[in-house]
Amino acid sequence: MNEEKLKIKEDAQQWEGGVAKNITFIVTKDCQLACKYCYLVGKNEEERMSWEVAKQAIDYIFDHENDFPERSVVFDFIGGEPFLEIDLIERICDYIKTELFRRQHHWFDSYRFSFSTNGINYDTQKVQRFIEKNASHLSIGITIDGTQRKHDLNRIWKGDGPERGSYNDVVRNIPLWLSQFPGGGTKVTISSADIPYIRESVLHLYSLGIHEVNINVVFEDVWQEGDDRRFEEQLMLLADDIIDGDYYKDYSCSFFSERIGKPLDPVKENNNWCGAGRMLSIDAAGNFYPCTRFAAYSLREKRPIIIGNVRDGINKNRLRPFLTLDRTTQSPQECVDCEVASGCAWCQGENYDAAETPTVYQRSTAICLMHKARVRANNYYWNRLFRKLEKDGSREEFEQNKRNVKPEIC
Amino acid sequence: MKKEVGYVSAEERDEIQRLFERRNGLTELAKILTPDNDELYERLVADMGDTATRFQGWWNDKSAKYGWESAPEGHWEIDFNDCKIYLITN
Amino acid sequence: MLKYLIIQLDSTSTSFCHYAVNRREPCLMPLDTLRKAIRWSMIENVNVQFLYPEYPLPAEYADAIETIDHVKIMQATAADAGKADIVVFDGIASVDADSLSEDMSIVVRTGKKAFFAEYAMLNAILPKVSRLNVVITDIASFADDDFTTYEAALTELAVAVKNEYVGNHPVQFNLLTDRIMLKEMNNCGAGSESLTLAPNGRFYVCPAFYFDDESDSVGDIDNGPSLKNPQLYKLGYAPICRVCDAFHCHRCVWLNRRTTLEVNTPSHEQCATAHIERNASRRLLEAIREVGEFLPGMEIPEIDYIDPFENVRIDR
């Protein structure tokens, strides 16, 4: 009897969700692409993290183990495109592993390296060697936006000359990625111009073998009049396709969740949506941020919120607003009273950037109509699905086996 | 074939999950540490042996404690999410 | 609801709080602006506090000021200090106890180091005034050792305050008696209960905001105040303060913004010093009651923290 084979049934994106510390290295602000909806307004080729800064950051964090009591840690690597800096990343990860062991740090027994990549360099020798070397501690998501026309609408190559979409450069790596991360999910972003392609894109991603599609509308105020109606129509069509095609059995789309569209108790359900402040981001200059979205390259209107640096450490006073932020204090009354509030998300960084004063305590309501449209389509989806399951006599079986779609929290 | 044969407590699950993580961590650390690292290499080797022993010991203890069904060519699996133990046979 | 307007008559008008006056060149508020401010205050039914410069005001200014009920706040060294309702001293050592009278309210601004070196001199001042406000201007710099020293200093000063009360001179001393008298938050109120009108005719949350950045105004006297996100200056929108019972705390929104970048969030140092004062007040109340009945019904419970942030933080 071999008792050592364990099944690891874990959702990579939700690994140790809520109890893991997220530490993000902004290794570069460069990217091969110039996606039209990208919130990173200050991307550039110059700000690349040096090994010295990365090492100082790691040393600071590990030297202050008591300030990081979370039982687990996720080291995120983002850009720009993180795999542009694969040599640095490999060095960082080797150092982290070695130092955790040398110091007998409690995170040695519970860590992950996480990447969200555009997928273009995924099959290169260096990236593949890195994956092989760290296989049991990796979470990698490749961003593919759906059908070619949807993907290429926004995700275009950087540079002058005619627009060139990146779909073909990404999709060729999907089979390799799925063979290495069979449960891999992709993140799809919806802006105003993408709405007509939502249905076809989700189905296309399913056809590529991606079972988990995490999809969200952008938080920025980009919405046109009538977008909510068009959005609702797309989701209704998608709902029909998922139900009629029996996709609900093995696939998920985060637009549809039983948990959304309910009123929220102002006392018992008063948590902040966003994890800013409980995370730590480090940029090339060695500055610390409560989340990457507060770094200068992410902000259109406001000054960055720097909460320390690798030399002086964390200014704990600057974390206090983030660590005391609840839902109702930052929400306008219409959100507090909203009958369909649950699942309505926000990004603390976008709230800050859009606020009338430099505060994280003013919630942006730019997605209000889009959320309400989603709720209506979501109601339709579940009412139709449950009716079908009941008629089939398979409701109970569905409840036992349904994929656990969690709200996506950045 | 997969058959549910029992479950363990959350504390017991945490224990094996931590050992599982440690074993993976040590295995991947072994890919980058070489014998000329005087400070860490011997420690790593000793830790790998110790962790493997504790890991197998957990399965021995818990299978004896709970009396899980077994099979000659089978093995047990644990689902970290719900603490359930499964018997896997071909 | 707005209750007070602080009118800063000159760019060099005295500070009575944590901020420093960083302008050297006098710039007097235009007389027309002053008159508009007085008229606006009457219409809005707010109490007026005038911050005076060192030099004597022209006669027409003095005449205009006297057209409205008000409070005069002046430096002890100001030309007209004798007419002040509240006199401000920079440094404990600068206070001549013999020059004080029992009906005086004084503010003493001091730095941390000077306070620790000179606080014993307050023992001679307490019997001579009706109210003493001590403002430690650099509390943001308090370190762990300073909290210990501060607690010891207040414990010593409490003996002198107790003696005044026992001797039938119930002096008000902000660091030790304000909390005893309060059943709810009573803080600075900048942005919610008070605004400041600077010499340039613009409104500011308080004078400190004017000195920090003149462009950071919240309206002007011609068009009225226009404070954005006004709710953030109210207690209900301050997650740490709304669960706190250091009722006497300044809750200085300017220090909040400097240290935490949010006007509704105090720093650890502001919370800890306020709680050291709160706890010293609790002990003082007990000590006075050992002598006789005093403020029955007013209680300050014993607590085991000095920073309420630890009770509301969401990551633990």
Side-chain angles (χ1 to χ4, degrees), chain C residues 196-267:
Chain C
T196 289
L197 187 73
N200 60 13
R202 294 188 202 153
F203 289 105
Y204 293 86
V205 172
C206 84
F209 286 74
Y210 164 74
F211 286 114
D212 258 6
D213 178 2
E214 210 172 316
S215 70
D216 195 12
S217 61
V218 293
D220 59 60
I221 193 62
D222 292 319
N223 300 294
S226 56
L227 183 61
K228 300 277 175 55
N229 278 322
Q231 76 282 3
L232 296 181
Y233 297 86
K234 294 177 179 164
L235 181 63
Y237 287 83
I240 299 174
C241 305
R242 67 189 175 204
V243 298
C244 176
D245 77 345
F247 297 145
H248 69 294
C249 176
H250 280 190
R251 288 188 62 227
C252 174
V253 296
W254 174 69
L255 282 178
N256 289 355
R257 201 181 66 166
R258 273 186 61 192
T259 52
T260 70
L261 307 181
E262 292 285 350
V263 294
N264 67 346
T265 309
S267 66

Side-chain angles (χ1 to χ4, degrees), chain A residues 317 320 323 326 357 359-360, chain C residues 229 242 262 266 268-269 307:
Chain A
N317 277 332
R320 286 162 74 97
L323 297 182
D326 59 44
T357 59
T359 181
V360 294
Chain C
N229 278 322
R242 67 189 175 204
E262 292 285 350
H268 169 68
E269 292 77 16
D307 187 348

Side-chain angles (χ1 to χ4, degrees), chain A residues 262-309:
Chain A
K262 314 281 193 301
L264 289 172
D265 186 282
V267 177
K268 293 176 188 161
E269 297 169 302
N270 196 23
N271 294 336
N272 193 16
W273 180 275
C274 171
R278 285 172 285 171
M279 306 183 272
L280 181 68
S281 288
I282 307 130
D283 75 358
N287 288 322
F288 292 149
Y289 303 90
C291 157
T292 304
R293 195 61 175 73
F294 290 89
Y297 82 139
S298 305
L299 296 165
R300 302 178 304 274
E301 303 289 340
K302 299 290 196 308
R303 293 161 68 177
I305 292 187
I306 296 172
I307 57 165
N309 60 60

Side-chain angles (χ1 to χ4, degrees), chain A residues 2-233:
Chain A
N2 176 6
E3 294 124 339
E4 292 198 6
K5 286 186 186 168
L6 294 178
K7 185 179 181 207
I8 324 163
K9 201 172 146 189
E10 72 180 33
D11 178 344
Q13 294 216 348
Q14 297 291 336
W15 180 76
E16 293 286 273
V19 293
K21 184 80 181 177
N22 272 74
I23 294 173
T24 304
F25 293 89
I26 307 171
V27 288
T28 178
K29 292 180 182 170
D30 192 14
C31 182
Q32 307 99 319
L33 304 183
C35 301
K36 293 175 188 171
Y37 52 53
C38 183
Y39 65 85
L40 300 173
V41 292
K43 282 193 292 192
N44 63 75
E45 295 173 14
E46 287 75 41
E47 291 181 77
R48 301 168 59 203
M49 185 174 279
S50 67
W51 161 244
E52 287 71 27
V53 164
K55 180 177 181 301
Q56 274 185 291
I58 296 164
D59 288 342
Y60 170 79
I61 293 162
F62 291 176
D63 283 345
H64 295 80
E65 188 173 352
N66 290 341
D67 289 341
F68 299 89
E70 293 83 355
R71 74 177 187 204
S72 306
V73 62
V74 177
F75 296 101
D76 271 311
F77 296 89
I78 68 157
E81 165 52 34
F83 283 148
L84 288 175
E85 295 294 335
I86 186 64
D87 291 336
L88 173 69
I89 288 169
E90 184 165 8
R91 194 171 179 188
I92 290 173
C93 292
D94 285 354
Y95 186 66
I96 286 172
K97 289 185 287 190
T98 308
E99 280 300 291
L100 287 176
F101 182 69
R102 188 180 70 76
R103 295 165 181 255
Q104 301 182 55
H105 193 290
H106 73 281
W107 282 343
F108 184 77
D109 290 343
S110 201
Y111 69 89
R112 290 289 183 274
F113 300 127
S114 174
F115 300 82
S116 184
T117 172
N118 61 29
I120 291 170
N121 285 355
Y122 189 79
D123 62 341
T124 60
Q125 197 177 6
K126 283 183 175 179
V127 172
Q128 285 301 305
R129 188 184 65 189
F130 174 80
I131 291 171
E132 192 274 330
K133 198 170 153 184
N134 295 284
S136 63
H137 289 93
L138 286 184
S139 160
I140 300 180
I142 290 183
T143 300
I144 181 164
D145 255 2
T147 54
Q148 180 159 14
R149 63 175 175 173
K150 154 75 171 95
H151 184 98
D152 287 348
L153 192 65
N154 282 306
R155 301 185 69 79
I156 57 172
W157 283 86
K158 184 176 66 177
D160 301 328
E163 272 188 19
R164 185 158 70 91
S166 61
Y167 176 84
N168 289 325
D169 308 289
V170 179
V171 76
R172 67 185 178 80
N173 282 326
I174 296 297
L176 173 61
W177 170 59
L178 287 174
S179 71
Q180 294 169 327
F181 298 92
T186 193
K187 200 170 176 178
V188 179
T189 304
I190 303 296
S191 194
S192 181
D194 305 304
I195 292 173
Y197 312 110
I198 292 173
R199 171 200 188 193
E200 65 178 40
S201 290
V202 173
L203 295 175
H204 179 69
L205 294 170
Y206 289 171
S207 76
L208 292 176
I210 299 170
H211 286 243
E212 185 176 312
V213 177
N214 297 302
I215 187 165
N216 63 277
V217 297
V218 298
F219 292 108
E220 288 79 1
D221 190 7
V222 297
W223 305 107
Q224 313 283 323
E225 193 177 340
D227 275 352
D228 56 330
R229 287 194 307 278
R230 288 185 281 275
F231 182 53
E232 185 178 335
E233 283 163 16

Side-chain angles (χ1 to χ4, degrees), chain B residues 3-8 68 76-78 83-87:
Chain B
K3 181 183 178 187
E4 184 182 330
V5 294
Y7 59 89
V8 293
W68 296 325
W76 291 308
E77 289 183 353
I78 180 170
C83 304
K84 287 179 180 168
I85 305 294
Y86 295 91
L87 174 64

Side-chain angles (χ1 to χ4, degrees), chain B residues 10-79:
Chain B
E11 292 73 26
E12 289 167 335
R13 182 268 318 271
D14 290 347
E15 190 186 346
I16 191 63
Q17 189 167 11
R18 194 124 308 234
L19 286 168
F20 175 75
E21 288 284 335
R22 186 164 193 86
R23 193 179 65 167
N24 288 340
L26 292 168
T27 303
E28 288 181 356
L29 185 62
K31 294 176 184 173
I32 57 172
L33 277 190
T34 52
D36 57 347
N37 187 327
D38 295 336
E39 184 193 355
L40 297 182
Y41 189 76
E42 287 301 321
R43 224 175 90 192
L44 171 68
V45 172
D47 203 332
M48 290 178 85
D50 177 57
T51 302
T53 303
R54 287 162 60 203
F55 189 87
Q56 189 60 48
W58 186 93
W59 284 101
N60 294 342
D61 292 348
K62 300 302 171 284
S63 60
K65 175 180 174 183
Y66 292 108
W68 296 325
E69 180 184 334
S70 61
E73 295 301 314
H75 66 267
W76 291 308
E77 289 183 353
I78 180 170
D79 186 331

